Amino acid sequence: MSKVTALFLLLTFLFIGSSHAIEVIDEPALTTSLALHVTFSGKVSTPSEMKRIEINMSFPQSCETQRVTTDEKLAYDKLGNQILHIVKENPQNPFYYSASAYVETSSFNLYSLPENYALTDYERKFLEATPNIQSNSYEIQKLAEDITKACENDFEKIAKLAIWVNEHIEYDLSYGDKNYDALWVLNNRRGVCSEYTTLFAALARAIGVPVRYVGGYAYGRKGWEPHAYAEVFLGRWVPVDTLWLQVGYLDATHIKMSIGKDNQVEDNIEILGYNVKNVKWEKNEPVFDILKANYREREKDFELFASSSRLNPGDEFLVVWRYLPKQYGVAELRLEPCIGNAIEEIHEKERRVILEPGREAIAVWRLKINKNLKHGYLYTCPLTLNSNFFEFRILNITIDTARTFKKIGMKAEVLNTEVELGDEQVVSVDVSVPLGIRGKVGIIYGNQVKEVEVSKNEKLSFSFFPKLGENKVYIYTSTGDVVEIPFKVIENRDFSIKIEAPKFLKVNQDRKLKIFLTNNRETPLKINLTIIEDGEKTTKSLEVIKSEKIERDIRFSDTGDRIIKIILDGKGIKSTKLCRIRVYTKPEVDISLLQYDRDKKLAKFKILVSKDKALNISIKINGNLKTIEELEGEEVITFKGIEEVSPATLCYYDLGGERYCESIEVKSVKSMKSIIQRLLKIFHTFYELFIKRFVK
């Protein structure tokens, strides 16, 4: 360590005012800044003599939320990661190494996002599918579209994907030393932070959002532990921790060690010497000495209220959480009922709410009072709200079993149980109010809450413009009644899209993608048409008067499934279509003889299909015919009753339906059994000609 670095660290200790490290971080999610000393160490050994050793391994990164001071030698990889670079000539065996850094971290807080931005070549790298992050898989593409189809902006899409992964993947520590791919995680629904991040990255890339895989450490339930999370590009790089559901916000205990395209670790070691083998690299877990920690206060500026505060047994009511966010994020909320049997039913305790600056956020719980509570008592039921970032709060509900309150009656219905996107939904409520009673009737939809004072019988009407997909609206009274009405929003029937594309396309073959748009409205419709192909996004603004035809040349140089995504966005129009094309090449089919018994007229052949799948394969030998419906790889077939094994007539089809036929000479593949049989035959001949005659 240089004198300058040593002096810097000494001054840091003096500034902090204590040389004692902090042992425990009580609330990691609320950590706003950390100052810590990190030490990496390990041992390398081999039975061989080492002449030179070179180690490259992950190291804390200098970035927007992390400042690193070190005297160690660093190198940089092709993605810009700074790598710890250790080189030693004629090292001892075993070779022990140690490296350290002073790291200052701060939490990431997202207050704004650019409205428009373009991707550079660097960001486009993180749109690409990899063997572990199969964002080009149809299953991944379809799921990502289903999750995000009703979203209004990119942050909402990313948050929805993170919430889905968090809710559908089971945390299983037994997978801590594994690195499974996205499709495996989707099918098995379990893993640790790396599996959560891998699946999220595939889903986000599938909708055209660049994702970096971040490897590092974070402070969890058992202290410091290896951790993985993601960064998405939304005009700037934004962190997303799907395991701990920090989206747009990241606490300061996250130590970034590397970024990559997927979950493959890049650490490596190189040893020069004579006949070097059996190298053993033992890495110790890093030592984190926390010198200083700062925390944020829990958010207090929110509202928590009940639709009814004084209730009778059997009544229903809503608990509503309202908050006006100052920054992007996801709020995790959990409402716990009072201990005992006062609450008969609560519809799901947990809520995940997406937060966007200046846009009111709402969470709703529906509860029911136990109708069998003992008569003649006045109960107080404290409901408690727990959250990751919001203060603990108690909401007291009074339940009166001694007297029965007069109730406001209501009958509510929606105008349509199915409405088109862009159309207004109307909720009508017939209210009947007992004489001398005053109260409220309210409606909750999305992030809107409306209440009306009522004191007489009347008919109320509420209207709003709902989102695409499955929806529900709550209507309630202040005297203990709740109605929940589901309805569906579908794509506009006045506008249609038809896509014509080949299901199969040969490698390097040119074809046309055709898109037909039809507008059945009386007025022209302005829309944005976006086409995403292999991560490349092109957007075109159109005015569709009656009909419009768009043609696009398509050509692919590699085999496999290709997904072309077509997105329409306009007034009352929000539609995404996926076009799946299988790119293929001509398969190569080869036949080899495995075994032939001339006496039994029995022959076994190996059929090997490479490069791509072959369909309806037929092999004809001496008038005998065998067929295979489809094959990619190898299969063994048996012919009976044949005199000769060659030539053979081979016919098959490629995926596009083109037929190939040829006459081929069958090659012989000598098995061990056939070799032994031949040797025995030679020995028998030798015995008959020489040994038997000599014995006589």
Side-chain angles (χ1 to χ4, degrees):
M1 183 180 292
S2 70
K3 293 181 179 179
V4 174
T5 305
L7 178 60
F8 176 82
L9 292 176
L10 176 61
L11 291 173
T12 301
F13 275 101
L14 292 173
F15 176 76
I16 292 171
S18 172
S19 60
H20 298 289
I22 299 170
E23 296 294 333
V24 177
I25 296 177
D26 294 323
E27 294 186 286
L30 300 178
T31 309
T32 57
S33 66
L34 284 180
L36 64 161
H37 187 263
V38 188
T39 303
F40 303 88
S41 62
K43 179 177 75 171
V44 180
S45 59
T46 174
S48 311
E49 182 182 356
M50 293 190 287
K51 296 293 186 182
R52 184 177 187 272
I53 187 169
E54 182 175 332
I55 298 174
N56 293 297
M57 58 184 291
S58 302
F59 200 70
Q61 302 295 300
S62 295
C63 58
E64 181 181 356
T65 58
Q66 194 164 283
R67 190 171 71 173
V68 180
T69 304
T70 184
D71 200 38
E72 308 296 345
K73 184 178 180 181
L74 302 178
Y76 294 88
D77 67 11
K78 58 186 178 182
L79 291 177
N81 289 303
Q82 55 187 30
I83 307 295
L84 177 62
H85 185 62
I86 299 173
V87 179
K88 182 70 174 177
E89 302 289 343
N90 299 313
Q92 291 183 343
N93 192 356
F95 173 68
Y96 293 89
Y97 66 87
S98 179
S100 62
Y102 174 73
V103 181
E104 294 175 286
T105 66
S106 60
S107 60
F108 183 96
N109 298 275
L110 185 63
Y111 297 100
S112 64
L113 282 169
E115 291 185 9
N116 299 295
Y117 58 90
L119 300 182
T120 67
D121 289 341
Y122 175 78
E123 285 97 40
R124 291 184 190 279
K125 292 179 185 177
F126 300 97
L127 274 174
E128 297 169 1
T130 72
N132 270 29
I133 298 179
Q134 304 101 324
S135 52
N136 56 352
S137 157
Y138 181 77
E139 293 87 345
I140 296 286
Q141 294 260 358
K142 184 68 169 60
L143 176 60
E145 289 301 328
D146 289 344
I147 295 169
T148 61
K149 63 183 177 182
C151 295
E152 297 179 354
N153 56 60
D154 286 344
F155 181 81
E156 186 181 0
K157 291 178 182 179
I158 290 303
K160 285 271 190 182
L161 293 176
I163 291 170
W164 190 94
V165 172
N166 183 274
E167 291 180 343
H168 289 81
I169 305 302
E170 181 182 347
Y171 186 80
D172 189 336
L173 198 55
S174 66
Y175 290 84
D177 58 346
K178 309 289 194 304
N179 269 326
Y180 287 109
D181 62 73
L183 282 173
W184 186 95
V185 181
L186 180 61
N187 292 326
N188 291 274
R189 304 289 178 95
R190 56 199 315 110
V192 292
C193 55
S194 59
E195 280 72 38
Y196 280 65
T197 304
T198 295
L199 179 56
F200 168 79
L203 292 168
R205 287 181 188 173
I207 60 169
V209 176
V211 184
R212 297 195 297 209
Y213 185 98
V214 182
Y217 290 84
Y219 196 92
R221 293 178 181 177
K222 297 181 179 180
W224 291 102
E225 53 193 32
H227 192 59
Y229 60 97
E231 290 177 339
V232 299
F233 189 77
L234 304 176
R236 61 178 297 190
W237 288 104
V238 176
V240 178
D241 188 329
T242 48
L243 177 61
W244 294 342
L245 209 54
Q246 295 183 8
V247 184
Y249 167 81
L250 197 71
D251 69 62
T253 73
H254 287 71
I255 309 297
K256 182 191 289 190
M257 300 288 289
S258 66
I259 57 170
K261 293 175 68 176
D262 57 20
N263 57 9
Q264 300 304 300
V265 178
E266 297 293 336
D267 290 0
N268 62 78
I269 186 169
E270 183 177 324
I271 298 175
L272 297 180
Y274 177 71
N275 195 25
V276 176
K277 57 184 178 180
N278 299 327
V279 176
K280 188 176 182 181
W281 187 4
E282 300 174 58
K283 297 181 187 177
N284 299 322
E285 286 298 323
V287 177
F288 297 89
D289 294 318
I290 305 171
L291 308 175
K292 186 178 181 181
N294 292 309
Y295 306 92
R296 63 186 283 182
E297 290 187 359
R298 289 184 174 274
E299 182 63 59
K300 300 177 182 178
D301 191 17
F302 65 91
E303 185 181 3
L304 186 69
F305 67 91
S307 59
S308 305
S309 58
R310 198 172 181 88
L311 298 150
N312 287 141
D315 284 349
E316 289 191 271
F317 67 104
L318 300 176
V319 172
V320 182
W321 174 87
R322 297 176 75 175
Y323 174 63
L324 187 63
K326 303 177 185 67
Q327 66 184 76
Y328 289 92
V330 173
E332 291 186 271
L333 309 167
R334 183 179 178 87
L335 187 71
E336 291 287 352
C338 49
I339 297 173
N341 64 345
I343 301 297
E344 179 181 293
E345 188 177 329
I346 178 170
H347 293 257
E348 297 180 1
K349 296 179 181 180
E350 294 184 353
R351 296 286 183 271
R352 275 75 183 262
V353 185
I354 298 172
L355 308 178
E356 298 180 40
R359 184 176 184 178
E360 188 170 55
I362 289 177
V364 180
W365 293 266
R366 184 179 177 183
L367 300 91
K368 186 176 182 179
I369 304 297
N370 188 346
K371 62 183 178 181
N372 297 317
L373 290 176
K374 192 172 182 179
H375 183 71
Y377 288 87
L378 193 66
Y379 295 85
T380 298
C381 175
L383 306 174
T384 57
L385 179 74
N386 297 286
S387 174
N388 49 352
F389 299 117
F390 296 86
E391 75 168 1
F392 174 84
R393 190 168 292 184
I394 295 176
L395 179 66
N396 288 316
I397 301 298
T398 301
I399 306 167
D400 196 332
T401 65
R403 55 178 180 163
T404 302
F405 302 116
K406 292 182 178 180
K407 306 293 185 184
I408 297 172
M410 68 168 176
K411 182 181 179 182
E413 60 181 0
V414 294
L415 184 64
N416 293 294
T417 56
E418 187 176 274
V419 297
E420 293 185 3
L421 183 64
D423 288 349
E424 190 176 48
Q425 176 65 289
V426 178
V427 179
S428 61
V429 186
D430 287 325
V431 181
S432 57
V433 183
L435 190 64
I437 297 296
R438 298 181 66 89
K440 293 180 181 179
V441 173
I443 181 173
I444 300 176
Y445 169 73
N447 63 343
Q448 303 176 46
V449 179
K450 295 180 181 178
E451 286 189 338
V452 177
E453 294 271 359
V454 292
S455 58
K456 61 180 181 179
N457 296 348
E458 58 181 303
K459 187 167 186 174
L460 303 176
S461 180
F462 303 92
S463 62
F464 51 88
F465 292 92
K467 284 186 173 184
L468 183 68
E470 301 292 338
N471 286 261
K472 61 183 173 183
V473 59
Y474 295 100
I475 304 98
Y476 62 86
T477 71
S478 57
T479 58
D481 194 11
V482 175
V483 175
E484 181 180 330
I485 306 176
F487 64 94
K488 187 176 183 180
V489 179
I490 61 173
E491 294 178 2
N492 199 294
R493 293 193 182 102
D494 288 339
F495 190 87
S496 64
I497 175 173
K498 181 183 177 183
I499 300 169
E500 288 185 4
K503 289 185 178 180
F504 298 95
L505 183 61
K506 202 168 187 178
V507 165
N508 295 322
Q509 185 179 38
D510 293 314
R511 294 289 295 275
K512 294 284 187 183
L513 170 71
K514 298 178 182 179
I515 303 171
F516 300 90
L517 306 176
T518 304
N519 179 18
N520 296 320
R521 299 179 180 181
E522 295 181 358
T523 57
L525 179 64
K526 292 182 178 180
I527 63 165
N528 288 323
L529 172 68
T530 300
I531 300 175
I532 302 175
E533 178 186 326
D534 278 350
E536 295 288 333
K537 181 190 292 187
T538 57
T539 300
K540 184 178 182 180
S541 296
L542 300 170
E543 184 177 67
V544 183
I545 299 174
K546 285 298 179 183
S547 62
E548 193 80 25
K549 177 183 176 182
I550 298 97
E551 289 191 355
R552 180 187 177 98
D553 293 324
I554 51 174
R555 178 188 177 99
F556 300 98
S557 58
D558 297 314
T559 60
D561 284 333
R562 293 292 183 272
I563 307 296
I564 299 177
K565 188 182 305 180
I566 297 100
I567 303 171
L568 291 175
D569 193 2
K571 186 177 180 181
I573 303 295
K574 193 175 183 66
S575 177
T576 300
K577 303 291 183 183
L578 297 179
C579 177
R580 184 178 187 176
I581 300 173
R582 173 62 160 87
V583 184
Y584 69 94
T585 190
K586 178 188 173 184
E588 288 188 358
V589 183
D590 190 40
I591 303 177
S592 300
L593 177 65
L594 291 177
Q595 182 183 348
Y596 177 51
D597 190 322
R598 187 179 296 275
D599 296 331
K600 294 182 179 180
K601 299 180 181 180
L602 188 74
K604 287 186 178 181
F605 297 89
K606 181 175 75 173
I607 313 301
L608 177 64
V609 179
S610 58
K611 290 195 173 180
D612 214 328
K613 187 180 293 185
L615 306 178
N616 299 322
I617 305 169
S618 64
I619 306 104
K620 192 173 183 180
I621 301 176
N622 294 155
N624 290 271
L625 180 67
K626 291 285 184 179
T627 60
I628 301 173
E629 188 174 341
E630 65 175 55
L631 180 63
E632 185 175 10
E634 62 181 59
E635 186 171 319
V636 175
I637 59 174
T638 302
F639 279 87
K640 296 179 181 179
I642 62 172
E643 299 288 346
E644 298 292 337
V645 296
S646 188
T649 301
L650 171 69
C651 293
Y652 58 93
Y653 293 82
D654 63 22
L655 289 173
E658 187 173 350
R659 189 169 186 257
Y660 306 90
C661 279
E662 55 186 315
S663 179
I664 60 174
E665 293 293 326
V666 179
K667 294 180 292 184
S668 177
V669 177
K670 292 183 174 61
S671 65
M672 182 60 70
K673 184 177 179 181
S674 65
I675 292 171
I676 293 172
Q677 288 175 341
R678 191 165 184 179
L679 288 173
L680 288 173
K681 191 174 182 180
I682 293 170
F683 178 77
H684 179 74
T685 304
F686 179 78
Y687 175 78
E688 290 289 334
L689 292 175
F690 299 102
I691 298 177
K692 190 175 181 181
R693 186 177 298 176
F694 177 78
V695 171
K696 287 181 179 180

